[in-house]
Amino acid sequence: MSIEVPETAERTSYDARVAVGATGRFAALNRAGVLDAADVRVAQRVGALGEETDESVLLAVALAVRAVRLGSVGVDLRRVADLPLPDGLVLPETDAWIAAVEGSPLTEAGVIHYELDLVSLDRYHRLERQVADDLLARLAADAPAVDTDALATTRQRIAGDHFSAEQAAAVEHAAHHRTTVLTGGPGTGKTTTVARIVVALADQFAAAQQRQLGVDVATHGRHFSVALAAPTGKAATRLQEAVTAELAALGIDPADAGRPEASTLHRLLGWRPDTTTRFVHDRSNRLKHDLIVVDEASMVDLTLMARLLEAVRPETRLVLVGDPGQLTSVGAGAVLSDLVAGFADHPASPVVALRENHRSTEEIKALAQALRDGDADEVLAVLRGGSAEVEYVETDDPATVLRPACTAAALRVHAAATGPGEPAARAAAALDALEEFRLLCAHREGPFGVRHWNRQIETWLAEELGQPLGGGFYAGRPLLVTANDYTLDIYNGETGVVVVDGDGRRRAWIAGANEPRAFAPGRLDAVETMHAMTIHKSQGSQADTITVLLPDPDSRLLARELFYTAVTRAKRRLRVVGSEASVRAAVATTAQRATSLRRRLHG
């Protein structure tokens, strides 16, 4: 077990994270790196507004602010002793500390809450209650009517050699329930199942139209409406491609399945320029769709899940899809894993798990399973098995190991971007080349970080080409979009490449949910080089070959979920570069977050 904490190196007075003027425990925790200046300032300001002077209560507020910053929704005061506290610091006695919080005017005013062992800020307390209440209300509602004859016909249409019994059970569940949480690791057929759910519910809709209105939905009446969504643009694109391919394999016209189109969750909910946490669609303006499918649900944080649930009509079928073994969201909460745990013993659990792996990558599957099991010896055994799929390199000089593959990958993208043909064709070829190889790092900074390796790979590329790359937006530069830009309709996680037009102008071609589109580099505010990318940013994407660079074993980011996410990005081949100590540290460490959603769902 671990609790993620910031870097604990002693800070100087010139550090922006230092809370100048802080005293007592605040100053000690700030100097040790446990609290940032923002944590201290927010607590002080809240105390001043709420007329609370008890240092222990204000310390609890600061720790609750810190908890949100690190992904939790509150702080468990009984576990604060697990933090890397400075020598000599004495925390308040736990029971007295909790009593002070419960009796605080801040608690009476609803600014903070103490419930289910967590001290939480009001916003996150309300969000967790709302998510739990909305989900439980959906489970308690009357089940949808099901045309059993139509469903039997659908089962025949969607059956196939690779359609398992558990996938069929998932389709049945989605037909008979308003809410389905579809979980499974890589290769278990989640998107295969999603495509068949779309077909089954489209058939149910058509049967209901025929029964109720006496019309053929293909030529009369309202058409079935389905929305596919994901937290990032790249994940939305993958979902769209996978569902479209599955429908084609089944010989089903997308028009007969509601013409499913994927978008980011933010775009689905309707971005508003005046706020980052509210959307056009809410309880007063619900989404129109009959079916909403959200892929990569492990990446959906508490705030976004709350906004989604309040925008979904009670009668709409909602399917949340994801792998609870992956990294949790960047924002606060661990919603998908909380749903799986919270509904574990629920009599009407919406969770349907896919466990049978259908991919041919046996060693990668075995490695992922060993990571899920937390078996470090088995993880190392698979890594050292010497297969064609999984390679393990223990070295003190990762540059020597990484240079050949990383340089070759960069050259392939550059060659495609600068080769013959029209700019659009070269861009498409370069984007395809990007999907062949990816270097994943845990950190952004430092010797194991993406900034260092992006610069290093650019140096190698220039040496191979025998010439400078030619400025920031050089031909063949791989790009990663790092923030949503609703004006340009490009989204966080989408990838791109720089191509020179026939007139010599450089254009950034971004691969969105549809065809790649060209932009002048000056219009793009949030893009970075993507020769290497963080494991966090890799969620929602895959590549044929993945190389994972593990940091030192004392890295605060190293965790089982991080390693598992990196491993499961590989389609065909995986290389892990790192020490045995780093592998064991990753397997032994779990990135736990303090939440209360699972307990609220469990009742």
Side-chain angles (χ1 to χ4, degrees), residues 23-26 29 35 39 43-44 46-47 52-65 75-77 80 89-107 112 114 119:
T23 60
R25 295 187 181 104
F26 283 109
L29 290 170
L35 293 178
D39 307 330
Q44 291 173 332
V46 167
E52 174 58 85
T53 59
D54 187 328
E55 185 200 53
S56 69
V57 174
L58 299 182
L59 180 59
V61 174
L63 289 169
V65 175
V75 59
D76 185 345
L77 298 181
V80 172
L89 178 69
V90 178
L91 294 172
E93 192 277 324
T94 304
D95 291 338
W97 197 0
I98 292 171
V101 170
E102 290 182 311
S104 170
L106 297 178
T107 301
I112 61 173
Y114 181 74
V119 178

mmCIF file of all heavy atoms in Angstrom, residues 23-26 29 35 39 43-44 46-47 52-65 75-77 80 89-107 112 114 119:
data_model
loop_
_atom_site.group_PDB
_atom_site.id
_atom_site.type_symbol
_atom_site.label_atom_id
_atom_site.label_comp_id
_atom_site.label_asym_id
_atom_site.label_seq_id
_atom_site.Cartn_x
_atom_site.Cartn_y
_atom_site.Cartn_z
ATOM 1 N N THR A 23 3.411 29.031 10.259
ATOM 2 C CA THR A 23 4.068 28.685 11.517
ATOM 3 C C THR A 23 3.615 27.307 11.978
ATOM 4 O O THR A 23 2.702 26.713 11.408
ATOM 5 C CB THR A 23 3.723 29.717 12.607
ATOM 6 O OG1 THR A 23 2.293 29.727 12.803
ATOM 7 C CG2 THR A 23 4.197 31.110 12.222
ATOM 8 N N GLY A 24 4.261 26.799 13.013
ATOM 9 C CA GLY A 24 3.840 25.564 13.651
ATOM 10 C C GLY A 24 3.857 24.374 12.716
ATOM 11 O O GLY A 24 4.752 24.204 11.886
ATOM 12 N N ARG A 25 2.823 23.548 12.861
ATOM 13 C CA ARG A 25 2.732 22.330 12.031
ATOM 14 C C ARG A 25 2.642 22.666 10.554
ATOM 15 O O ARG A 25 3.161 21.941 9.703
ATOM 16 C CB ARG A 25 1.523 21.501 12.464
ATOM 17 C CG ARG A 25 1.602 20.921 13.877
ATOM 18 C CD ARG A 25 0.421 19.990 14.096
ATOM 19 N NE ARG A 25 0.407 19.412 15.431
ATOM 20 C CZ ARG A 25 -0.413 19.803 16.416
ATOM 21 N NH1 ARG A 25 -1.274 20.788 16.192
ATOM 22 N NH2 ARG A 25 -0.371 19.226 17.594
ATOM 23 N N PHE A 26 1.958 23.759 10.223
ATOM 24 C CA PHE A 26 1.843 24.154 8.819
ATOM 25 C C PHE A 26 3.223 24.374 8.207
ATOM 26 O O PHE A 26 3.526 23.893 7.115
ATOM 27 C CB PHE A 26 1.026 25.447 8.681
ATOM 28 C CG PHE A 26 -0.449 25.254 8.816
ATOM 29 C CD1 PHE A 26 -1.130 25.714 9.937
ATOM 30 C CD2 PHE A 26 -1.173 24.612 7.831
ATOM 31 C CE1 PHE A 26 -2.484 25.537 10.062
ATOM 32 C CE2 PHE A 26 -2.535 24.431 7.945
ATOM 33 C CZ PHE A 26 -3.195 24.898 9.068
ATOM 34 N N LEU A 29 5.200 20.961 7.878
ATOM 35 C CA LEU A 29 4.692 20.106 6.808
ATOM 36 C C LEU A 29 4.949 20.729 5.444
ATOM 37 O O LEU A 29 5.173 20.028 4.461
ATOM 38 C CB LEU A 29 3.198 19.846 7.009
ATOM 39 C CG LEU A 29 2.843 18.948 8.198
ATOM 40 C CD1 LEU A 29 1.339 18.958 8.446
ATOM 41 C CD2 LEU A 29 3.323 17.522 7.958
ATOM 42 N N LEU A 35 2.725 19.519 2.509
ATOM 43 C CA LEU A 35 1.740 20.530 2.125
ATOM 44 C C LEU A 35 2.390 21.541 1.188
ATOM 45 O O LEU A 35 3.541 21.950 1.404
ATOM 46 C CB LEU A 35 1.206 21.263 3.361
ATOM 47 C CG LEU A 35 0.356 20.465 4.350
ATOM 48 C CD1 LEU A 35 -0.032 21.357 5.530
ATOM 49 C CD2 LEU A 35 -0.890 19.908 3.678
ATOM 50 N N ASP A 39 -2.221 24.650 -0.353
ATOM 51 C CA ASP A 39 -2.966 23.933 0.674
ATOM 52 C C ASP A 39 -3.089 24.784 1.932
ATOM 53 O O ASP A 39 -4.163 24.880 2.544
ATOM 54 C CB ASP A 39 -2.263 22.616 1.023
ATOM 55 C CG ASP A 39 -1.973 21.760 -0.191
ATOM 56 O OD1 ASP A 39 -2.753 21.839 -1.160
ATOM 57 O OD2 ASP A 39 -0.977 21.015 -0.161
ATOM 58 N N ALA A 43 -6.602 26.774 3.438
ATOM 59 C CA ALA A 43 -7.058 26.492 4.800
ATOM 60 C C ALA A 43 -7.142 27.771 5.622
ATOM 61 O O ALA A 43 -8.106 27.985 6.374
ATOM 62 C CB ALA A 43 -6.119 25.491 5.455
ATOM 63 N N GLN A 44 -6.143 28.629 5.489
ATOM 64 C CA GLN A 44 -6.154 29.882 6.244
ATOM 65 C C GLN A 44 -7.318 30.774 5.819
ATOM 66 O O GLN A 44 -7.989 31.389 6.663
ATOM 67 C CB GLN A 44 -4.823 30.614 6.053
ATOM 68 C CG GLN A 44 -3.640 29.915 6.709
ATOM 69 C CD GLN A 44 -2.312 30.569 6.371
ATOM 70 O OE1 GLN A 44 -2.174 31.186 5.304
ATOM 71 N NE2 GLN A 44 -1.331 30.421 7.250
ATOM 72 N N VAL A 46 -10.190 29.835 4.350
ATOM 73 C CA VAL A 46 -11.453 29.228 4.773
ATOM 74 C C VAL A 46 -11.663 29.453 6.267
ATOM 75 O O VAL A 46 -12.773 29.769 6.719
ATOM 76 C CB VAL A 46 -11.448 27.719 4.449
ATOM 77 C CG1 VAL A 46 -12.600 27.011 5.147
ATOM 78 C CG2 VAL A 46 -11.548 27.502 2.948
ATOM 79 N N GLY A 47 -10.602 29.313 7.057
ATOM 80 C CA GLY A 47 -10.719 29.546 8.488
ATOM 81 C C GLY A 47 -11.117 30.970 8.808
ATOM 82 O O GLY A 47 -11.955 31.212 9.690
ATOM 83 N N GLU A 52 -12.988 30.140 12.138
ATOM 84 C CA GLU A 52 -12.403 28.966 12.787
ATOM 85 C C GLU A 52 -10.925 29.251 13.051
ATOM 86 O O GLU A 52 -10.176 29.566 12.124
ATOM 87 C CB GLU A 52 -12.553 27.730 11.902
ATOM 88 C CG GLU A 52 -11.862 26.483 12.424
ATOM 89 C CD GLU A 52 -12.344 26.074 13.794
ATOM 90 O OE1 GLU A 52 -13.373 25.370 13.866
ATOM 91 O OE2 GLU A 52 -11.697 26.479 14.796
ATOM 92 N N THR A 53 -10.515 29.153 14.316
ATOM 93 C CA THR A 53 -9.134 29.444 14.684
ATOM 94 C C THR A 53 -8.385 28.218 15.193
ATOM 95 O O THR A 53 -7.173 28.300 15.411
ATOM 96 C CB THR A 53 -9.099 30.525 15.772
ATOM 97 O OG1 THR A 53 -9.843 30.065 16.919
ATOM 98 C CG2 THR A 53 -9.710 31.834 15.260
ATOM 99 N N ASP A 54 -9.071 27.107 15.372
ATOM 100 C CA ASP A 54 -8.436 25.889 15.872
ATOM 101 C C ASP A 54 -7.449 25.373 14.821
ATOM 102 O O ASP A 54 -7.842 25.001 13.708
ATOM 103 C CB ASP A 54 -9.500 24.842 16.169
ATOM 104 C CG ASP A 54 -8.940 23.602 16.859
ATOM 105 O OD1 ASP A 54 -7.771 23.247 16.599
ATOM 106 O OD2 ASP A 54 -9.668 22.978 17.639
ATOM 107 N N GLU A 55 -6.152 25.361 15.194
ATOM 108 C CA GLU A 55 -5.134 24.948 14.233
ATOM 109 C C GLU A 55 -5.357 23.527 13.734
ATOM 110 O O GLU A 55 -5.102 23.218 12.565
ATOM 111 C CB GLU A 55 -3.738 25.048 14.850
ATOM 112 C CG GLU A 55 -2.627 24.752 13.838
ATOM 113 C CD GLU A 55 -1.308 24.381 14.491
ATOM 114 O OE1 GLU A 55 -1.285 23.460 15.327
ATOM 115 O OE2 GLU A 55 -0.304 25.006 14.137
ATOM 116 N N SER A 56 -5.849 22.643 14.610
ATOM 117 C CA SER A 56 -6.043 21.251 14.204
ATOM 118 C C SER A 56 -7.110 21.141 13.125
ATOM 119 O O SER A 56 -6.987 20.348 12.193
ATOM 120 C CB SER A 56 -6.409 20.389 15.416
ATOM 121 O OG SER A 56 -7.704 20.697 15.907
ATOM 122 N N VAL A 57 -8.159 21.940 13.215
ATOM 123 C CA VAL A 57 -9.208 21.920 12.197
ATOM 124 C C VAL A 57 -8.665 22.474 10.887
ATOM 125 O O VAL A 57 -8.892 21.908 9.812
ATOM 126 C CB VAL A 57 -10.441 22.716 12.652
ATOM 127 C CG1 VAL A 57 -11.469 22.814 11.519
ATOM 128 C CG2 VAL A 57 -11.072 22.085 13.880
ATOM 129 N N LEU A 58 -7.927 23.577 10.961
ATOM 130 C CA LEU A 58 -7.369 24.164 9.746
ATOM 131 C C LEU A 58 -6.344 23.233 9.105
ATOM 132 O O LEU A 58 -6.233 23.185 7.875
ATOM 133 C CB LEU A 58 -6.734 25.521 10.071
ATOM 134 C CG LEU A 58 -7.688 26.578 10.635
ATOM 135 C CD1 LEU A 58 -6.959 27.890 10.859
ATOM 136 C CD2 LEU A 58 -8.883 26.779 9.722
ATOM 137 N N LEU A 59 -5.627 22.473 9.928
ATOM 138 C CA LEU A 59 -4.703 21.486 9.383
ATOM 139 C C LEU A 59 -5.474 20.400 8.638
ATOM 140 O O LEU A 59 -5.046 19.946 7.563
ATOM 141 C CB LEU A 59 -3.869 20.878 10.508
ATOM 142 C CG LEU A 59 -2.846 19.811 10.097
ATOM 143 C CD1 LEU A 59 -1.851 20.372 9.091
ATOM 144 C CD2 LEU A 59 -2.124 19.277 11.329
ATOM 145 N N ALA A 60 -6.613 19.986 9.177
ATOM 146 C CA ALA A 60 -7.443 18.990 8.487
ATOM 147 C C ALA A 60 -7.936 19.536 7.147
ATOM 148 O O ALA A 60 -7.986 18.810 6.144
ATOM 149 C CB ALA A 60 -8.624 18.591 9.365
ATOM 150 N N VAL A 61 -8.294 20.821 7.110
ATOM 151 C CA VAL A 61 -8.730 21.440 5.856
ATOM 152 C C VAL A 61 -7.585 21.432 4.846
ATOM 153 O O VAL A 61 -7.765 21.086 3.668
ATOM 154 C CB VAL A 61 -9.228 22.875 6.095
ATOM 155 C CG1 VAL A 61 -9.530 23.560 4.755
ATOM 156 C CG2 VAL A 61 -10.461 22.881 6.982
ATOM 157 N N ALA A 62 -6.390 21.811 5.286
ATOM 158 C CA ALA A 62 -5.234 21.826 4.381
ATOM 159 C C ALA A 62 -4.955 20.441 3.829
ATOM 160 O O ALA A 62 -4.649 20.277 2.640
ATOM 161 C CB ALA A 62 -4.010 22.369 5.115
ATOM 162 N N LEU A 63 -5.062 19.421 4.683
ATOM 163 C CA LEU A 63 -4.827 18.054 4.222
ATOM 164 C C LEU A 63 -5.926 17.595 3.270
ATOM 165 O O LEU A 63 -5.675 16.801 2.359
ATOM 166 C CB LEU A 63 -4.734 17.118 5.427
ATOM 167 C CG LEU A 63 -3.467 17.284 6.275
ATOM 168 C CD1 LEU A 63 -3.600 16.523 7.585
ATOM 169 C CD2 LEU A 63 -2.237 16.811 5.506
ATOM 170 N N ALA A 64 -7.160 18.091 3.454
ATOM 171 C CA ALA A 64 -8.242 17.756 2.523
ATOM 172 C C ALA A 64 -8.010 18.407 1.168
ATOM 173 O O ALA A 64 -8.282 17.806 0.116
ATOM 174 C CB ALA A 64 -9.591 18.200 3.098
ATOM 175 N N VAL A 65 -7.492 19.629 1.160
ATOM 176 C CA VAL A 65 -7.152 20.300 -0.096
ATOM 177 C C VAL A 65 -6.033 19.530 -0.791
ATOM 178 O O VAL A 65 -6.074 19.278 -2.003
ATOM 179 C CB VAL A 65 -6.733 21.758 0.160
ATOM 180 C CG1 VAL A 65 -6.265 22.416 -1.136
ATOM 181 C CG2 VAL A 65 -7.888 22.544 0.767
ATOM 182 N N VAL A 75 -9.525 13.248 3.194
ATOM 183 C CA VAL A 75 -8.401 12.723 3.957
ATOM 184 C C VAL A 75 -8.923 11.942 5.156
ATOM 185 O O VAL A 75 -9.855 12.362 5.833
ATOM 186 C CB VAL A 75 -7.458 13.864 4.427
ATOM 187 C CG1 VAL A 75 -8.186 14.878 5.303
ATOM 188 C CG2 VAL A 75 -6.245 13.297 5.140
ATOM 189 N N ASP A 76 -8.328 10.788 5.376
ATOM 190 C CA ASP A 76 -8.621 9.962 6.539
ATOM 191 C C ASP A 76 -7.624 10.328 7.626
ATOM 192 O O ASP A 76 -6.439 9.995 7.528
ATOM 193 C CB ASP A 76 -8.506 8.480 6.164
ATOM 194 C CG ASP A 76 -8.927 7.553 7.300
ATOM 195 O OD1 ASP A 76 -9.030 8.016 8.451
ATOM 196 O OD2 ASP A 76 -9.130 6.350 7.030
ATOM 197 N N LEU A 77 -8.086 11.021 8.657
ATOM 198 C CA LEU A 77 -7.180 11.501 9.694
ATOM 199 C C LEU A 77 -6.529 10.361 10.467
ATOM 200 O O LEU A 77 -5.482 10.547 11.091
ATOM 201 C CB LEU A 77 -7.921 12.434 10.654
ATOM 202 C CG LEU A 77 -8.494 13.715 10.024
ATOM 203 C CD1 LEU A 77 -9.179 14.571 11.084
ATOM 204 C CD2 LEU A 77 -7.410 14.504 9.308
ATOM 205 N N VAL A 80 -3.152 9.629 8.550
ATOM 206 C CA VAL A 80 -2.204 10.696 8.253
ATOM 207 C C VAL A 80 -0.807 10.326 8.744
ATOM 208 O O VAL A 80 0.198 10.757 8.177
ATOM 209 C CB VAL A 80 -2.681 12.017 8.895
ATOM 210 C CG1 VAL A 80 -1.630 13.096 8.776
ATOM 211 C CG2 VAL A 80 -3.961 12.483 8.204
ATOM 212 N N LEU A 89 7.745 16.071 14.491
ATOM 213 C CA LEU A 89 6.396 16.629 14.364
ATOM 214 C C LEU A 89 5.385 15.735 15.066
ATOM 215 O O LEU A 89 5.336 14.529 14.829
ATOM 216 C CB LEU A 89 6.011 16.774 12.892
ATOM 217 C CG LEU A 89 4.593 17.316 12.654
ATOM 218 C CD1 LEU A 89 4.498 18.785 13.066
ATOM 219 C CD2 LEU A 89 4.172 17.154 11.199
ATOM 220 N N VAL A 90 4.575 16.320 15.917
ATOM 221 C CA VAL A 90 3.533 15.589 16.642
ATOM 222 C C VAL A 90 2.176 16.058 16.120
ATOM 223 O O VAL A 90 1.856 17.254 16.176
ATOM 224 C CB VAL A 90 3.623 15.814 18.160
ATOM 225 C CG1 VAL A 90 2.497 15.066 18.869
ATOM 226 C CG2 VAL A 90 4.978 15.361 18.677
ATOM 227 N N LEU A 91 1.410 15.132 15.593
ATOM 228 C CA LEU A 91 0.071 15.461 15.103
ATOM 229 C C LEU A 91 -0.930 15.430 16.245
ATOM 230 O O LEU A 91 -0.680 14.814 17.287
ATOM 231 C CB LEU A 91 -0.339 14.467 14.021
ATOM 232 C CG LEU A 91 0.467 14.508 12.722
ATOM 233 C CD1 LEU A 91 0.068 13.347 11.819
ATOM 234 C CD2 LEU A 91 0.250 15.826 11.997
ATOM 235 N N PRO A 92 -2.083 16.072 16.072
ATOM 236 C CA PRO A 92 -3.110 16.003 17.109
ATOM 237 C C PRO A 92 -3.528 14.557 17.363
ATOM 238 O O PRO A 92 -3.494 13.717 16.452
ATOM 239 C CB PRO A 92 -4.258 16.825 16.523
ATOM 240 C CG PRO A 92 -3.627 17.715 15.502
ATOM 241 C CD PRO A 92 -2.488 16.935 14.943
ATOM 242 N N GLU A 93 -3.955 14.271 18.579
ATOM 243 C CA GLU A 93 -4.483 12.948 18.906
ATOM 244 C C GLU A 93 -5.723 12.713 18.048
ATOM 245 O O GLU A 93 -6.587 13.580 17.944
ATOM 246 C CB GLU A 93 -4.813 12.876 20.398
ATOM 247 C CG GLU A 93 -5.102 11.485 20.911
ATOM 248 C CD GLU A 93 -6.548 11.074 20.652
ATOM 249 O OE1 GLU A 93 -7.432 11.951 20.742
ATOM 250 O OE2 GLU A 93 -6.780 9.882 20.363
ATOM 251 N N THR A 94 -5.825 11.525 17.441
ATOM 252 C CA THR A 94 -6.794 11.303 16.371
ATOM 253 C C THR A 94 -8.230 11.538 16.807
ATOM 254 O O THR A 94 -8.988 12.261 16.139
ATOM 255 C CB THR A 94 -6.649 9.882 15.803
ATOM 256 O OG1 THR A 94 -5.305 9.682 15.367
ATOM 257 C CG2 THR A 94 -7.585 9.689 14.629
ATOM 258 N N ASP A 95 -8.670 10.924 17.904
ATOM 259 C CA ASP A 95 -10.063 11.076 18.325
ATOM 260 C C ASP A 95 -10.402 12.528 18.649
ATOM 261 O O ASP A 95 -11.475 13.026 18.289
ATOM 262 C CB ASP A 95 -10.355 10.177 19.532
ATOM 263 C CG ASP A 95 -10.347 8.692 19.168
ATOM 264 O OD1 ASP A 95 -10.531 8.385 17.979
ATOM 265 O OD2 ASP A 95 -10.156 7.857 20.069
ATOM 266 N N ALA A 96 -9.483 13.206 19.321
ATOM 267 C CA ALA A 96 -9.719 14.614 19.634
ATOM 268 C C ALA A 96 -9.737 15.459 18.362
ATOM 269 O O ALA A 96 -10.508 16.427 18.241
ATOM 270 C CB ALA A 96 -8.645 15.114 20.597
ATOM 271 N N TRP A 97 -8.881 15.083 17.412
ATOM 272 C CA TRP A 97 -8.815 15.797 16.130
ATOM 273 C C TRP A 97 -10.140 15.663 15.384
ATOM 274 O O TRP A 97 -10.710 16.646 14.893
ATOM 275 C CB TRP A 97 -7.669 15.222 15.317
ATOM 276 C CG TRP A 97 -7.188 16.069 14.170
ATOM 277 C CD1 TRP A 97 -7.663 17.277 13.786
ATOM 278 C CD2 TRP A 97 -6.120 15.749 13.286
ATOM 279 N NE1 TRP A 97 -6.968 17.733 12.698
ATOM 280 C CE2 TRP A 97 -6.012 16.830 12.375
ATOM 281 C CE3 TRP A 97 -5.253 14.672 13.162
ATOM 282 C CZ2 TRP A 97 -5.068 16.844 11.359
ATOM 283 C CZ3 TRP A 97 -4.304 14.694 12.160
ATOM 284 C CH2 TRP A 97 -4.212 15.766 11.265
ATOM 285 N N ILE A 98 -10.651 14.447 15.310
ATOM 286 C CA ILE A 98 -11.936 14.215 14.630
ATOM 287 C C ILE A 98 -13.063 14.953 15.336
ATOM 288 O O ILE A 98 -13.938 15.563 14.696
ATOM 289 C CB ILE A 98 -12.220 12.704 14.553
ATOM 290 C CG1 ILE A 98 -11.210 12.023 13.611
ATOM 291 C CG2 ILE A 98 -13.656 12.439 14.091
ATOM 292 C CD1 ILE A 98 -11.276 10.518 13.634
ATOM 293 N N ALA A 99 -13.043 14.937 16.678
ATOM 294 C CA ALA A 99 -14.084 15.641 17.439
ATOM 295 C C ALA A 99 -14.035 17.139 17.158
ATOM 296 O O ALA A 99 -15.081 17.799 17.044
ATOM 297 C CB ALA A 99 -13.914 15.361 18.927
ATOM 298 N N ALA A 100 -12.823 17.691 17.049
ATOM 299 C CA ALA A 100 -12.696 19.117 16.750
ATOM 300 C C ALA A 100 -13.262 19.441 15.374
ATOM 301 O O ALA A 100 -13.932 20.473 15.186
ATOM 302 C CB ALA A 100 -11.229 19.532 16.832
ATOM 303 N N VAL A 101 -13.021 18.564 14.413
ATOM 304 C CA VAL A 101 -13.574 18.768 13.067
ATOM 305 C C VAL A 101 -15.096 18.686 13.098
ATOM 306 O O VAL A 101 -15.801 19.522 12.517
ATOM 307 C CB VAL A 101 -12.988 17.739 12.077
ATOM 308 C CG1 VAL A 101 -13.730 17.787 10.738
ATOM 309 C CG2 VAL A 101 -11.499 17.988 11.860
ATOM 310 N N GLU A 102 -15.626 17.679 13.773
ATOM 311 C CA GLU A 102 -17.082 17.510 13.832
ATOM 312 C C GLU A 102 -17.762 18.688 14.518
ATOM 313 O O GLU A 102 -18.889 19.056 14.171
ATOM 314 C CB GLU A 102 -17.420 16.206 14.551
ATOM 315 C CG GLU A 102 -17.067 14.951 13.770
ATOM 316 C CD GLU A 102 -17.456 13.682 14.486
ATOM 317 O OE1 GLU A 102 -17.129 13.553 15.683
ATOM 318 O OE2 GLU A 102 -18.104 12.817 13.858
ATOM 319 N N GLY A 103 -17.088 19.291 15.513
ATOM 320 C CA GLY A 103 -17.683 20.407 16.237
ATOM 321 C C GLY A 103 -17.333 21.768 15.680
ATOM 322 O O GLY A 103 -17.719 22.793 16.244
ATOM 323 N N SER A 104 -16.617 21.806 14.551
ATOM 324 C CA SER A 104 -16.163 23.069 13.984
ATOM 325 C C SER A 104 -17.306 23.852 13.351
ATOM 326 O O SER A 104 -18.233 23.270 12.761
ATOM 327 C CB SER A 104 -15.092 22.802 12.918
ATOM 328 O OG SER A 104 -14.788 23.981 12.190
ATOM 329 N N PRO A 105 -17.247 25.175 13.435
ATOM 330 C CA PRO A 105 -18.240 25.981 12.694
ATOM 331 C C PRO A 105 -18.154 25.763 11.182
ATOM 332 O O PRO A 105 -19.140 25.977 10.476
ATOM 333 C CB PRO A 105 -17.879 27.425 13.074
ATOM 334 C CG PRO A 105 -16.489 27.362 13.614
ATOM 335 C CD PRO A 105 -16.360 26.018 14.237
ATOM 336 N N LEU A 106 -16.997 25.338 10.686
ATOM 337 C CA LEU A 106 -16.890 25.033 9.260
ATOM 338 C C LEU A 106 -17.747 23.824 8.893
ATOM 339 O O LEU A 106 -18.351 23.781 7.816
ATOM 340 C CB LEU A 106 -15.430 24.768 8.891
ATOM 341 C CG LEU A 106 -14.446 25.921 9.070
ATOM 342 C CD1 LEU A 106 -13.040 25.475 8.699
ATOM 343 C CD2 LEU A 106 -14.870 27.135 8.258
ATOM 344 N N THR A 107 -17.793 22.829 9.786
ATOM 345 C CA THR A 107 -18.641 21.657 9.555
ATOM 346 C C THR A 107 -20.106 22.045 9.691
ATOM 347 O O THR A 107 -20.952 21.616 8.889
ATOM 348 C CB THR A 107 -18.276 20.543 10.546
ATOM 349 O OG1 THR A 107 -16.903 20.201 10.379
ATOM 350 C CG2 THR A 107 -19.132 19.306 10.312
ATOM 351 N N ILE A 112 -16.961 22.012 5.222
ATOM 352 C CA ILE A 112 -16.296 20.718 5.216
ATOM 353 C C ILE A 112 -17.239 19.694 5.828
ATOM 354 O O ILE A 112 -18.242 20.045 6.462
ATOM 355 C CB ILE A 112 -14.960 20.739 5.999
ATOM 356 C CG1 ILE A 112 -15.199 21.112 7.466
ATOM 357 C CG2 ILE A 112 -13.962 21.661 5.336
ATOM 358 C CD1 ILE A 112 -13.950 20.999 8.334
ATOM 359 N N TYR A 114 -17.370 15.610 7.763
ATOM 360 C CA TYR A 114 -16.713 14.397 8.252
ATOM 361 C C TYR A 114 -17.741 13.275 8.173
ATOM 362 O O TYR A 114 -18.725 13.257 8.913
ATOM 363 C CB TYR A 114 -16.197 14.544 9.684
ATOM 364 C CG TYR A 114 -15.504 13.280 10.159
ATOM 365 C CD1 TYR A 114 -14.234 12.960 9.678
ATOM 366 C CD2 TYR A 114 -16.130 12.381 11.025
ATOM 367 C CE1 TYR A 114 -13.596 11.795 10.058
ATOM 368 C CE2 TYR A 114 -15.504 11.216 11.404
ATOM 369 C CZ TYR A 114 -14.242 10.918 10.927
ATOM 370 O OH TYR A 114 -13.614 9.764 11.289
ATOM 371 N N VAL A 119 -12.509 13.434 5.974
ATOM 372 C CA VAL A 119 -12.747 14.871 5.983
ATOM 373 C C VAL A 119 -12.667 15.331 4.537
ATOM 374 O O VAL A 119 -11.650 15.124 3.859
ATOM 375 C CB VAL A 119 -11.695 15.618 6.821
ATOM 376 C CG1 VAL A 119 -11.949 17.127 6.759
ATOM 377 C CG2 VAL A 119 -11.705 15.134 8.256
#
